[in-house]
Amino acid sequence: MGTGDRRRGAWLRNVVLCWMLLCAAAAGAVELEVRELRADPPPAEVLAGRHDARLEPPRDSPTLQQPHRDAQWWRIAPATAVDAADSPRLVLRTPFLYRVQAWAPGAEAPTRHTLYGDDADFRYSSRALVIDLPDGLRAGEPVWLRVERGSTMVTALSIESMDQVHRADLVFVAWRSLVLTSLAVLVILALAFWGGTGERSYGYFGAMLLCAIGYLAAIGGDLRWMPGAEALFGTSAQTNRVFGCVGVVFSNLFQRGYLDLPRKLPWCDRLLAIGTWIAAGSGAASLFGDWAAFSLSGNFALLYSAVVLLVAAAVLALHGDRAARVVLASWISLMVFSFLAAAQMMGLWTGPPWLVHGLAGSFVLASLLLAIGLLDKLLQLRRDRDHASRQAVIDPVTKALNRQGVEERLYREVEQARAQSTPLSIAFVDLDRFKEINDRHGHSVGDQCLRIVSWRLRNQLRRNEAMGRYGGDEFLVVLPGRSRLEAMAIAERMRISVNCRPLSTTEFDIAASLSIGVAELDPGESMASLFERADAALYASKSAGRDRASAAQPADGLWTV
């Protein structure tokens, strides 16, 4: 059997094994009948069965949701018997604000359960409320729950063994730790970049992630150990609503700047501003009251902004915008999960139990990809800045250094030569009778001659040596590590490279020559003195008939200041 056949066989076995495990898990799951009593009669009457006729029909899925009542009853009954030997537990996942009183068969008294406050059970993670079933359950035997506080949060119900509860808790803690730690690290990086660059996009990005952490921690109970957590998170949905609305505001501000909507899509920027103001108003109003209207307006702002940003990113991506492609890649999963979660909060549908965890994961994925996009944008800005800096010291005609660039290079080389006590020479190079070339053939031909001379000079230099256009027809050559004699030899090669053959432009072949003045930096000499001596040597070459190189006399007078 070949390697490919063995791999296909192993892959098939793994698929079959996974299918068997899934089937076993499905077979082991207890089917639950969930019915609600939309009233709050005394417990004795409910437990005696006096209100069974008022129970609603069984729900399509084993979930609990009561957005319109502050207190009501729920009847949960298994379709098959639950053995007490497995230490079964009734699990209410993502309970958020619900306060539960449970009457389980075999229990001496009702038990109280909540995510926050004195009734919180810290033996288990914050993923669920866990109710003991000490005697197990017979088929159809009910567990009665009295649930206080209305909430739009969908709570999934299941019966799990103690081992299953512990395994699920471990997975939940690991997942939430990964999510919140990743978001916290990205917040620190975003704020650090904001402080280092002053770019507001990083500040908005960091603030958006802080709001995401607050929102996830509020609805997930991750901060229930904190003093005052019940007052802050466990009494109403105001806190998570404020986090959500402020997060929408910062998200819109970040995306507006990152996509450059005011310049690229002004009409889309105006539409996004509507969602931003609605979210800001809903968040501010939620500080003063827990009204359903603010929840609806906040969720509307989230959905509306998500659609506007998706349209803007798609339009820009079709035109080749790089930032828009990053937004599409990173934002689409978060938009989908946010849309589904907001629709569930608004009562438009009942989502699966894993929706809240998918939302948390999409936050991390979107944040990581956007952080990479921001870093790429920062690198692009740095490349643009470096390019602009290079262009600032480049002569546009010859593409060599301009006067500022070559003087800066000379200054650095002089400082290094003084520090290391190494030789340094310079050469002033002048193109003879350049004015006659311009007058006879025009400035375009003159510029071509300057470019040819610049190329021929550059070809005579090493990589660590520099050359720049110092004036109209004058070049400055910097020769680090070269003595006067070595500099004179280089000057002769440069002179010969120009006068050995004509300068061939597009229209003419023009004979040309160079006059060169060379000077070596003496110990303690100033740059002004070095320039004067090289310029005097250049003048001597011109006075002697041009087309020659001359060495300067030793320094006399101007010394280091």
Side-chain angles (χ1 to χ4, degrees), residues 17-32:
L17 179 60
C18 290
W19 177 256
M20 291 174 63
L21 290 173
L22 288 174
C23 291
V30 179
E31 182 180 351
L32 296 178

Side-chain angles (χ1 to χ4, degrees), residues 448-479:
Q448 292 182 58
C449 291
L450 287 175
R451 281 194 287 272
I452 295 171
V453 170
S454 172
W455 296 336
R456 293 184 183 180
L457 296 180
R458 180 70 259 180
N459 288 337
Q460 306 304 318
L461 303 178
R462 297 185 303 191
R463 292 184 61 184
N464 68 323
E465 297 166 344
M467 182 270 297
R469 186 182 178 190
Y470 199 73
D473 61 345
E474 195 170 73
F475 297 88
L476 173 62
V477 179
V478 181
L479 302 169

Side-chain angles (χ1 to χ4, degrees), residues 6 13 37 143 175 178 263 278 285 296 307 320 363 405 442 529:
R6 286 196 298 270
R13 285 194 299 273
L37 174 61
V143 177
W175 172 248
L178 174 64
R263 183 175 64 87
I278 293 176
L296 291 174
V307 172
F363 266 119
S529 172

Side-chain angles (χ1 to χ4, degrees), residues 320-404:
D321 189 273
R322 189 168 180 173
R325 291 173 179 172
V326 172
V327 170
L328 280 180
S330 61
W331 215 243
I332 192 164
S333 63
L334 180 58
M335 286 181 178
V336 169
F337 276 100
S338 298
F339 190 95
L340 295 177
Q344 178 173 280
M345 292 290 186
M346 297 170 70
L348 301 179
W349 81 309
T350 299
W354 45 262
L355 179 60
V356 65
H357 306 307
L359 178 63
S362 65
F363 266 119
V364 174
L365 177 62
S367 302
L368 285 172
L369 293 177
L370 285 173
I372 294 172
L374 281 173
L375 290 175
D376 178 72
K377 188 175 183 180
L378 179 63
L379 291 176
Q380 184 62 44
L381 291 174
R382 175 168 290 183
R383 286 192 292 267
D384 293 343
R385 183 197 64 188
D386 293 343
H387 177 70
S389 299
R390 287 193 298 270
Q391 292 301 108
V393 295
I394 296 297
D395 175 59
V397 176
T398 63
K399 305 305 177 184
L401 293 173
N402 60 17
R403 180 168 181 164
Q404 175 187 343

